[in-house]
Amino acid sequence: HYPPPKIPGTVTDVQATFLALADVALHGVRRGAPYLGDSVAVFGQGVVGQLVTQFARMASPYPLVAIDLVDTRLETARISGATHTVNGSREDAVERVLELTGGEGARGVFMVTRTPKILPDCMRAAATGGSVTITGSPPGTVDIRLQEELLRKELRLIGTHQGRYPREPYHMFHWTRANNRAYILGLMQHGEYSVAHLITHPVSFTEAPEMYAMVARGPEGWLGIVLEWDAV
């Protein structure tokens, strides 16, 4: 087992609750590897999508396009670093990404949604020679057009999964899960990575049933939910 990093005293318990999800996001952005100045599109602006947007922002992409169906999440994505936002319920997200990138498409696309059917849109929104990194956990299957959406554009489809981290660092790879998490805690400690704007419901653990019921109804009206446990 890898040794867990110590939480600095200046990082709050609430901030630390985001550590595992931030690690998922960081691993996805490391795998997608946007370069300085690349155009990036992030499909899905739930908590992990917001965290992906923040890490992608550190590569100084332009544009950095956030796509979602909920306006409040898109407003939050601006705080997370998006330069442009697209509401896919009102606009054609693919056409908008193409427009914002001068017809080229995004060099790096991140799919951070549990809806498999979004994958073809992600592929169509990607530039020729670009990549689509699947950072969400979409179940099920989806049909893609192999010629038009994959082969002719020479896309790279990148899957990500935390369980594939090496347990120990070695000379060619330093970023184990423990080292990633230590890095994230350091960013939080120095105010360079924020999660406060993602919290919409800091509530007592006694309200958990209501929170789960709200989540089950759909994505409207909430983003980050933190259950607070009172000392007994």
Side-chain angles (χ1 to χ4, degrees):
H1 296 286
Y2 59 89
K6 294 182 179 179
I7 298 174
T10 53
V11 173
T12 68
D13 290 346
V14 170
Q15 287 176 302
T17 63
F18 285 81
L19 187 57
L21 293 181
D23 189 12
V24 170
L26 176 58
H27 181 55
V29 175
R30 285 198 192 284
R31 293 275 289 134
Y35 290 103
L36 289 168
D38 272 352
S39 50
V40 170
V42 183
F43 281 74
Q45 289 298 312
V47 170
V48 177
Q50 301 278 346
L51 297 171
V52 166
T53 299
Q54 284 201 71
F55 280 124
R57 178 198 61 197
M58 294 179 180
S60 299
Y62 192 87
L64 173 51
V65 187
I67 300 102
D68 203 274
L69 304 177
V70 180
D71 282 332
T72 53
R73 293 188 173 193
L74 293 172
E75 292 166 7
T76 303
R78 290 278 187 174
I79 302 173
S80 294
T83 61
H84 298 78
T85 59
V86 178
N87 188 314
S89 69
R90 294 195 299 269
E91 300 180 80
D92 185 314
V94 174
E95 289 299 323
R96 186 70 176 123
V97 170
L98 291 173
E99 178 184 339
L100 291 169
T101 56
E104 178 187 27
R107 299 297 306 167
V109 176
F110 293 89
M111 176 181 167
V112 199
T113 171
R114 59 185 178 183
T115 306
K117 66 181 181 181
I118 297 299
L119 179 58
D121 281 351
C122 292
M123 296 172 70
R124 286 192 290 270
T128 299
S131 65
V132 176
T133 303
I134 303 173
T135 307
S137 297
T141 61
V142 65
D143 291 329
I144 61 173
R145 298 174 65 85
L146 291 175
Q147 280 286 338
E148 295 86 346
E149 294 168 4
L150 180 64
L151 300 179
R152 294 179 187 176
K153 295 177 73 173
E154 295 197 339
L155 291 185
R156 290 180 299 131
L157 288 181
I158 302 172
T160 66
H161 193 272
Q162 275 186 311
R164 296 299 178 185
Y165 277 122
R167 293 293 184 177
E168 299 291 337
Y170 59 97
H171 68 289
M172 295 294 290
F173 188 82
H174 172 72
W175 295 109
T176 61
R177 185 179 299 182
N179 288 343
N180 265 354
R181 294 186 180 193
Y183 169 66
I184 294 165
L185 289 169
L187 291 176
M188 290 178 173
Q189 181 181 18
H190 296 100
E192 297 179 16
Y193 198 78
S194 176
V195 295
H197 67 293
L198 306 181
I199 302 171
T200 56
H201 291 77
V203 300
S204 168
F205 72 95
T206 60
E207 297 183 49
E210 291 85 350
M211 295 297 102
Y212 280 109
M214 178 176 63
V215 170
R217 288 193 293 270
E220 292 280 357
W222 62 276
L223 184 55
I225 300 169
V226 175
L227 301 180
E228 299 174 343
W229 295 77
D230 299 325
V232 293

